């Protein structure tokens, strides 16, 4: 037997004895990883496996993945908390399951502290079609490398079931969710299944309210304060929430915040000329936003793009008027576009129902710049909000 033949035989033997991934029971992702509840000090990496396994997330600053967050036991659904992180820092991570690395290494940035006066986020509504446009939107948004992404409800059509959250949210959004902390909000379609239980199970959210519900919450990112509301609750169609309770909490939360910028997001827009039209049941919140210095309010539900002039008491006012709030409907994130339900209103500053896309917002110091991008990266709309220094 030649030396070469013996070597080949030994290599073949070694390969046969090595624990092959399939033989040892390597898992694969049913739901690819998403980054949830990311703060200045912590992050959650959530994913679902196709078989129950122990799982862990190797991670570390930059590309040195020297730390490890382990699951408490074997399972298919994992939400592993990475603790003791540093603010505004880039971290790499690698999921491992059943003893093998799974998927590609990812990376993200933790939230910066309140002294940092730069924030860049994406917002998209009514994304959950499970269609190619949704995936294209996620890719276009990811290419702009936002710090975080907000969803504006109706994350998974038709009914926000467990299967639909997988197929119509986590899978098509994967390229964005692997690198961008996501902060979702509830739409009416989530409520079609068990008062949104599959959504609540899929996301780890701040739940910083007396009831400890994840249906509405707030968080800070740099010098900006974000509030997610449950507008379906406010509409009255949800048994699992109390309207007055949410409004009282929002008032306290917005008053308590000393953040330079305040952004509120939820599904049903108080001002819209789309087929659904203005959600008047959210107008009491509009009054609250005017009283508490909210700068920008984002909604969906109408599958199109619309931006208002700065508004106060339902009427346009000059930019810089104290208490003026700008509203954007960005329900053009994936689902079939709607026709307008009315001519442009006095509150309408810009509107488009011919292109799907998302809203990209950069805040730098006293200036907020919003750009509505279409799927191909072309610009649908652009606007600026300037902070007027408060009177001394
Ligand atoms: Fe909706």
């Amino acid at each position: 037997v030649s030396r070469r033949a013996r070597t080949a035989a030994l290599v073949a033997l070694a390969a046969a004895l090595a624990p092959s991934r399939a033989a040892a029971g390597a898992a694969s992702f049913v739901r690819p990883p998403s980054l949830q509840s990311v703060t200045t000090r912590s992050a959650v990496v959530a994913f679902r496996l196709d078989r129950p396994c122990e799982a862990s997330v190797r991670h570390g600053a930059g590309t040195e993945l020297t730390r490890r967050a382990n699951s408490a036991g074997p399972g298919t659904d994992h939400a592993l908390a990475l603790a003791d992180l540093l603010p505004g820092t880039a971290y790499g991570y690698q999921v491992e399951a059943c003893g093998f690395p799974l998927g590609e290494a990812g990376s993200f940035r933790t939230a910066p502290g309140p002294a940092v006066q730069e924030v860049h986020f994406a917002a998209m509504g009514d994304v959950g079609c499970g269609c190619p446009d949704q995936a294209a939107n996620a890719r276009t948004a990811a290419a702009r490398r936002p710090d975080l992404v907000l969803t504006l409800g109706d994350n998974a059509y038709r009914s926000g079931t467990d299967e639909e959250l997988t197929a119509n949210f986590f899978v098509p959004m994967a390229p964005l969710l692997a690198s961008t902390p996501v902060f979702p909000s509830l739409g009416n379609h989530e409520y079609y299944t068990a008062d949104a239980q599959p959504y609540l199970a899929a996301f780890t959210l701040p739940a910083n309210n007396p009831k400890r519900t994840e249906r509405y919450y707030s968080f800070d990112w740099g010098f900006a304060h974000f509030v997610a509301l449950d507008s379906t609750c406010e509409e009255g169609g949800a048994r699992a929430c109390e309207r007055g309770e949410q409004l009282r909490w929002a008032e306290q939360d917005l008053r308590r915040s000393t953040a330079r910028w305040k952004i509120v997001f939820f599904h049903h827009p108080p001002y819209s000329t789309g087929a659904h039209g203005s959600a008047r049941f959210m107008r009491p919140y509009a009054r609250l936003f005017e009283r508490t210095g909210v700068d920008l309010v984002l909604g969906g539900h109408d599958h199109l793009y619309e931006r208002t002039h700065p508004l106060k008491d339902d009427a346009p006012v000059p930019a810089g008027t104290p208490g003026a709030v700008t509203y954007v409907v960005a329900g053009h994130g994936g689902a079939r576009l709607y026709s307008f339900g009315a001519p442009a209103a006095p509150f309408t500053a810009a509107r488009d129902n011919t292109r799907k896309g998302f809203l990209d917002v950069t805040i730098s110091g006293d200036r907020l710049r919003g750009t509505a991008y279409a799927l191909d990266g072309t610009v649908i709309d652009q606007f600026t909000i300037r902070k007027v220094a408060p009177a001394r």
Side-chain angles (χ1 to χ4, degrees), residues 126 154 188-189 267 301:
D126 308 81
D154 287 0
N188 52 307
H189 282 258
H267 188 57
H301 198 43

Side-chain angles (χ1 to χ4, degrees), residues 120-124 134-149 172-180 358-362 373-378:
H120 177 199
F121 67 92
M124 50 184 72
Q134 178 186 18
N137 203 23
R139 281 196 303 272
T140 306
R144 303 212 65 82
R145 304 185 63 82
D147 303 327
L148 65 161
V149 58
M173 305 291 277
L176 180 62
L177 301 180
S179 58
T180 317
F358 69 100
L359 181 69
D360 182 272
V361 176
T362 56
Y373 286 103
L375 301 182
D376 62 2
T378 58

Side-chain angles (χ1 to χ4, degrees), residues 106-125:
S107 63
F108 67 99
R109 290 189 86 87
T110 50
V116 173
Q117 305 200 356
E118 307 273 343
V119 180
H120 177 199
F121 67 92
M124 50 184 72

Side-chain angles (χ1 to χ4, degrees), residues 126 152-154 157 187-189 267-268 276 300-303 338:
D126 308 81
L152 309 174
D154 287 0
Y157 293 105
N188 52 307
H189 282 258
H267 188 57
H268 298 79
H276 288 304
H301 198 43
D302 270 325
H303 298 175
Y338 284 177

